[in-house]
Amino acid sequence: MRPPIIFTGMHRSGTSMIGRMLEALGLFVGLRKDENNEALFFQEMNEWLLHQCGASWDDPTQLRKYFWRNEAVVGWSERYLRNLISSPRSISFTGPMQYLKGGVNSLDTPWGWKDPRNTFALPIWLKIFPDAKIIYIKRNGVDVAQSLRVRELKKLADAARFYAKWQYVFFLRPRKGGFVGSSRCLELDDAFSLWREYIEEAEAVLSAVPSERLLRLRYEDVLDDPAAAIKIAVPFCGLSATDEQINSIAGSVVRERSGAYEATPELRAFASRHAAELRAVGYEP
């Protein structure tokens, strides 16, 4: 089996963008994926890990506090995940033909999966795939927090509008979810604190990963020169691509997203209040 490429980094930090570019150049990232290009097979396993200790993608630190300290829980969880990876359930990732050839355990082309939850689940994945390579994408926390807030406010507005229209017949089919995906991310300060948790966890876990198996990318640098970033990522992933292919992929990048907060007075003021936290991870407000 070829070791996987595991994408880590905070939500809304460019993991989807990087993953899609590398997928277009030949990296296999799963058959069934959601709208964020996350393989549902591995996403579901990450969510299962988080739920064991009452954690979730927007409150992940419970996993750090409670899960890893019990060797029996970690051991049985690792065994369970290994069995899932070898089971017919993995067809949703590999497809039926690859499963018949041996499934995930026989993949011999560059492959991996993207899921920000990997940031907290990485220790167990490194037990299962000890030679895995890691791509870590980091983005300015103000832009991340604002992107999360905008997304949740839109979800709230859409859900409220839909409910107002159909409220008198909802008893026939009650709502499965709430009006937002994350109440925490409705507030800028709370979304920013979530970004800090992911950054802190990533730095702690990745400190033990050998440098030759770790590729660090800044979202803003990728936007400034996407071709240069792709040229670094392609050999790291075991891919090959011509300059023409790389430049074609790079041309699809929307560069205006870099430092978007600077155009908004509210966000510039927010960045100033959190200047020390931003500088600590390499961002100058």
Side-chain angles (χ1 to χ4, degrees), residues 106-171:
S106 67
L107 284 167
D108 58 359
T109 58
W111 72 281
W113 75 93
K114 171 260 172 182
D115 183 0
R117 300 167 187 81
N118 287 332
T119 306
F120 283 83
L122 191 58
I124 207 163
W125 292 124
L126 289 177
K127 286 177 177 288
I128 296 172
F129 303 111
D131 297 321
K133 290 185 174 182
I134 314 300
I135 295 181
Y136 170 47
I137 303 102
K138 182 172 65 175
R139 184 185 184 187
N140 187 297
V142 181
D143 282 329
V144 169
Q146 173 64 357
S147 180
L148 288 168
R149 181 173 68 163
V150 168
R151 183 178 70 176
E152 294 305 324
L153 288 172
K154 183 180 184 302
K155 284 182 180 179
L156 176 58
D158 290 345
R161 186 164 48 249
F162 183 79
Y163 177 70
K165 181 177 180 180
W166 300 102
Q167 59 185 307
Y168 299 110
V169 295
F170 257 87
F171 70 93

Side-chain angles (χ1 to χ4, degrees), residues 60 141 209:
V209 177

Side-chain angles (χ1 to χ4, degrees), residues 131-239:
D131 297 321
K133 290 185 174 182
I134 314 300
I135 295 181
Y136 170 47
I137 303 102
K138 182 172 65 175
R139 184 185 184 187
N140 187 297
V142 181
D143 282 329
V144 169
Q146 173 64 357
S147 180
L148 288 168
R149 181 173 68 163
V150 168
R151 183 178 70 176
E152 294 305 324
L153 288 172
K154 183 180 184 302
K155 284 182 180 179
L156 176 58
D158 290 345
R161 186 164 48 249
F162 183 79
Y163 177 70
K165 181 177 180 180
W166 300 102
Q167 59 185 307
Y168 299 110
V169 295
F170 257 87
F171 70 93
L172 296 172
R173 189 178 181 183
R175 294 183 62 87
K176 292 184 179 179
F179 284 90
V180 290
S182 170
S183 296
R184 177 177 185 174
C185 293
L186 287 169
E187 299 294 335
L188 201 60
D189 277 294
D190 294 332
F192 186 80
S193 71
L194 179 60
W195 170 80
R196 286 202 312 269
E197 290 175 12
Y198 271 79
I199 292 290
E200 291 168 3
E201 182 70 10
E203 294 298 339
V205 175
L206 296 176
S207 63
V209 177
S211 58
E212 66 272 15
R213 288 177 28 222
L214 174 60
L215 176 60
R216 293 174 177 267
L217 296 173
R218 278 171 49 114
Y219 178 79
E220 294 79 9
D221 293 341
V222 175
L223 295 190
D224 288 344
D225 193 345
I230 298 170
K231 286 180 180 179
I232 295 171
V234 162
F236 178 82
C237 295
L239 300 168

Side-chain angles (χ1 to χ4, degrees), residues 16 20 31-41 43 47 114-117:
S16 294
R20 285 192 173 100
L31 187 65
R32 291 187 63 238
K33 302 183 292 291
D34 70 2
E35 68 275 9
N36 295 313
N37 211 42
E38 295 173 11
L40 295 176
F41 179 61
Q43 183 192 85
E47 288 184 342
K114 171 260 172 182
D115 183 0
R117 300 167 187 81

Side-chain angles (χ1 to χ4, degrees), residues 58-107:
D58 60 344
D59 186 17
T61 54
Q62 304 296 339
L63 192 70
R64 181 203 305 161
K65 290 178 181 177
Y66 304 116
F67 180 77
W68 306 115
R69 67 186 185 185
N70 190 300
E71 292 183 8
V73 173
V74 174
W76 282 105
S77 297
E78 178 187 346
R79 181 174 176 177
Y80 170 73
L81 294 176
R82 286 181 183 274
N83 285 339
L84 279 181
I85 289 168
S86 300
S87 76
R89 196 169 184 83
S90 66
I91 290 173
S92 69
F93 183 78
T94 64
M97 295 304 295
Q98 178 60 42
Y99 176 74
L100 292 175
K101 294 177 183 178
V104 174
N105 295 321
S106 67
L107 284 167

